[in-house]
């Protein structure tokens, strides 16, 4: 029995789904969001909130430039505090090969108006004396941002509701209905929803959703683990420090957040349990860079599941097999920064039939054309031995 109708059903209440719900409902599209849990319960709410321009894939750069403009205006647009700050990013280099790659990125990114600089060890230590001689330099972007992911999700949710979007939380998608190779409805644990357009933004569960209509999305779920320490006096300046072996930042309150940039081989799946081997490995790696963290006490850990694609680039847009199914997944740990532009692009795709920015590079069918390897531009792709 059909209980609801909607022009568009969004599966997944993460940052992408919420941004799309806001943009679509603001454009007058009857929109309904379905999530098996609640608002921003996975990677969207379990990340440090970094919004970086540095280290982006070339195909992402035009999107990221536009996203940054949207971010600066987003608190006023949503009418709420997002704890948005220009803290900056420091991507430390562990060897001269890293430095050469970073110099190439500066040359490339300057064309897009991105302000970033390659610093030597002395320059970095003048800015952040707690950083050790374990590094040789790094790429610094003073204009990169940070925001509170929970406040971002809540802001989008509140405004989407204000424009008429509907939400079904704690509701599992059981099946997708098709008629003549076109989406015809969504069957949920609460009943059926009549619709002809579905945005699959279910994160690491996107492949499960797509297989309901015989579409395979090559995703690998990976538990992304973070450590939070007790608050202490300022050790690092306001920045998000990222490297091949870990990521960390110190909040204004003094708590230190430490996480992995990519789990080592063999760690995957959906478990939310603390992996003590991984926690020890990540903490030990960060201590090589910031030894002053050594005596801090850990007060909690959290795990969010990330959906990795084969090339670490996201998967976006219509697919040929099923009319009305739109993909937005596989963000591989770097999707939060793109949140404002992703909602805009999804809205454009549905309302106008095309996007104002190029997105063909992110189509699913690229994997049928031999694209299988990571491109290596992202910080979280460079693993230490």
């Amino acid at each position: 029995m059909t209980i609801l109708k909607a022009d568009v059903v969004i599966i997944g209440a993460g940052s992408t789904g919420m941004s799309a719900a806001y943009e679509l409902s603001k454009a007058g599209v009857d929109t309904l969001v379905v999530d098996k849990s609640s608002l921003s319960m996975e990677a969207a709410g379990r990340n440090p909130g970094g919004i970086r321009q540095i280290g982006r894939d070339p195909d992402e750069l035009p999107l990221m430039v536009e996203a940054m403009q949207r971010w600066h205006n987003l608190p006023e647009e949503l009418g709420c505090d997002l704890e948005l700050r220009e803290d900056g990013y420091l991507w430390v280099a562990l060897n001269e090969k890293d430095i050469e790659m970073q110099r190439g990125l500066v040359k490339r990114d300057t064309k897009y108006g991105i302000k970033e600089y390659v610093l030597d060890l002395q320059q970095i230590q003048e800015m952040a004396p707690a950083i050790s001689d374990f590094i040789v330099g790094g790429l610094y972007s003073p204009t990169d941002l940070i925001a509170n992911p929970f406040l971002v999700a809540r802001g989008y949710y509140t405004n989407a509701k204000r424009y008429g979007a509907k939400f079904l939380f704690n509701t599992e998608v059981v099946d997708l209905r098709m008629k003549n190779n076109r989406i015809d409805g969504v069957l949920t644990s609460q009943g059926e929803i009549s619709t002809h357009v579905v945005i699959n933004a279910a994160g690491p569960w996107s492949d499960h959703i797509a297989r309901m209509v015989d579409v395979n999305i090559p995703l690998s779920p990976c538990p992304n683990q973070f450590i939070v320490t007790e608050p202490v006096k300022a050790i690092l300046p306001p920045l998000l420090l990222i490297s091949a072996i870990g990521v960390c930042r110190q909040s204004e309150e003094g708590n230190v957040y430490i996480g992995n940039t990519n789990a080592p081989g063999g760690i995957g799946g959906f478990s939310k349990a603390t992996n003590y081997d991984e926690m020890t490995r990540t903490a030990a790696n960060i201590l090589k860079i910031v030894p002053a963290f050594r005596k801090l006490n850990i007060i909690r850990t959290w795990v969010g599941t990330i959906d990795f694609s084969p090339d670490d680039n996201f998967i976006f847009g219509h697919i040929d097999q099923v009319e009305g199914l739109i993909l937005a997944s596989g963000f591989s740990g770097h999707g939060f920064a793109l949140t404002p532009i992703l909602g805009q692009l999804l809205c454009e795709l549905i309302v106008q039939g095309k996007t104002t920015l190029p997105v063909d590079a992110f189509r699913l069918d690229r994997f049928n054309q031999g694209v299988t390897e990571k491109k290596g531009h992202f910080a979280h792709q460079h693993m230490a031995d």
Side-chain angles (χ1 to χ4, degrees):
M1 176 180 177
T2 301
I3 60 170
L4 286 173
K5 293 183 179 180
D7 293 337
V8 178
V9 173
I10 301 172
I11 303 174
S15 56
T16 299
M18 298 313 299
S19 175
Y22 164 70
E23 297 286 353
L24 285 164
S25 58
K26 187 174 69 169
V29 178
D30 181 23
T31 305
L32 189 153
V33 179
V34 182
D35 196 286
K36 67 182 181 63
S37 184
S38 188
L39 181 66
S40 196
M41 291 298 290
E42 285 301 331
R46 298 168 184 261
N47 69 79
I51 302 167
R52 66 174 171 86
Q53 302 163 94
I54 60 174
R56 288 280 166 181
D57 182 86
D59 292 320
E60 272 191 336
L61 277 171
L63 278 63
M64 193 62 233
V65 170
E66 291 295 323
M68 289 296 284
Q69 294 183 13
R70 292 292 307 271
W71 274 114
H72 282 288
N73 297 320
L74 199 59
E76 181 179 357
E77 181 178 345
L78 297 182
C80 58
D81 179 24
L82 305 179
E83 295 181 2
L84 184 71
R85 300 191 307 273
E86 200 173 71
D87 278 7
Y89 253 84
L90 175 63
W91 176 4
V92 298
L94 304 182
N95 50 56
E96 290 299 325
K97 183 178 179 181
D98 286 349
I99 288 288
E100 283 304 308
M101 177 187 65
Q102 291 174 350
R103 289 195 181 105
L105 291 175
V106 171
K107 184 177 180 181
R108 182 200 72 178
D109 295 350
T110 299
K111 300 174 184 177
Y112 290 88
I114 298 173
K115 296 179 181 179
E116 56 188 34
Y117 313 93
V118 173
L119 307 179
D120 60 27
L121 176 60
Q122 181 179 346
Q123 290 171 311
I124 289 177
Q125 289 179 333
E126 288 173 357
M127 179 175 63
I131 293 179
S132 74
D133 295 351
F134 182 74
I135 68 166
V136 299
L139 182 63
Y140 176 55
S141 171
T143 60
D144 280 1
L145 304 171
I146 196 162
N148 186 318
F150 295 105
L151 296 181
V152 172
R154 178 63 63 178
Y156 275 124
Y157 169 70
T158 301
N159 282 272
K161 282 187 69 176
R162 180 165 61 89
Y163 283 114
K166 300 181 290 289
F167 297 85
L168 284 178
F169 293 128
N170 301 307
T171 301
E172 186 172 357
V173 172
V174 178
D175 203 0
L176 299 181
R177 302 295 196 199
M178 271 209 314
K179 187 175 182 180
N180 298 325
N181 290 325
R182 182 182 182 184
I183 291 293
D184 195 51
V186 178
L187 183 62
T188 79
S189 57
Q190 303 295 323
E192 190 168 348
I193 308 164
S194 176
T195 189
H196 293 301
V197 180
V198 167
I199 296 176
N200 184 358
W205 291 272
S206 296
D207 185 35
H208 171 71
I209 298 297
R211 285 199 301 269
M212 295 175 180
V213 288
D214 296 325
V215 173
N216 178 52
I217 307 177
L219 297 178
S220 301
C222 173
N224 186 43
Q225 182 166 278
F226 263 84
I227 300 164
V228 185
T229 76
E230 62 187 340
V232 293
K233 67 179 182 179
I235 295 174
L236 281 181
L239 58 80
L240 202 152
L241 184 151
I242 192 167
S243 75
I245 56 178
V247 57
C248 71
R249 64 175 289 257
Q250 187 171 17
S251 70
E252 288 184 327
E253 294 75 22
N255 303 88
V256 176
Y257 294 78
I258 296 172
N260 51 20
T261 44
N262 198 358
I267 294 182
F270 297 90
S271 174
K272 294 293 192 300
T274 297
N275 185 306
Y276 289 97
D277 288 340
E278 171 62 6
M279 184 174 72
T280 301
R281 180 191 79 93
T282 303
N285 282 333
I286 288 297
L287 288 174
K288 295 174 183 176
I289 301 172
V290 191
F293 289 159
R294 186 170 303 277
K295 295 184 179 181
L296 297 185
N297 293 316
I298 295 171
I299 58 175
R300 67 183 178 94
T301 68
W302 79 76
V303 176
T305 309
I306 292 176
D307 49 332
F308 281 94
S309 73
D311 63 358
D312 275 9
N313 267 348
F314 63 91
I315 301 165
F316 185 91
H318 291 291
I319 59 172
D320 296 331
Q321 302 99 307
V322 181
E323 184 179 352
L325 180 61
I326 298 174
L327 306 181
S329 59
F331 290 98
S332 307
H334 53 94
F336 176 72
L338 293 165
T339 294
I341 202 65
L342 291 171
Q344 175 185 318
L345 293 171
L346 287 165
C347 182
E348 291 173 351
L349 198 61
I350 291 169
V351 175
Q352 302 171 16
K354 60 182 180 179
T355 60
T356 54
L357 293 170
V359 294
D360 284 349
F362 308 108
R363 286 177 55 89
L364 175 65
D365 60 14
R366 71 182 185 267
F367 299 112
N368 298 327
Q369 301 168 8
V371 178
T372 58
E373 296 183 357
K374 301 180 188 301
K375 295 184 178 180
H377 292 281
F378 303 119
H380 63 258
Q381 292 177 358
H382 295 270
M383 298 304 300
D385 295 331

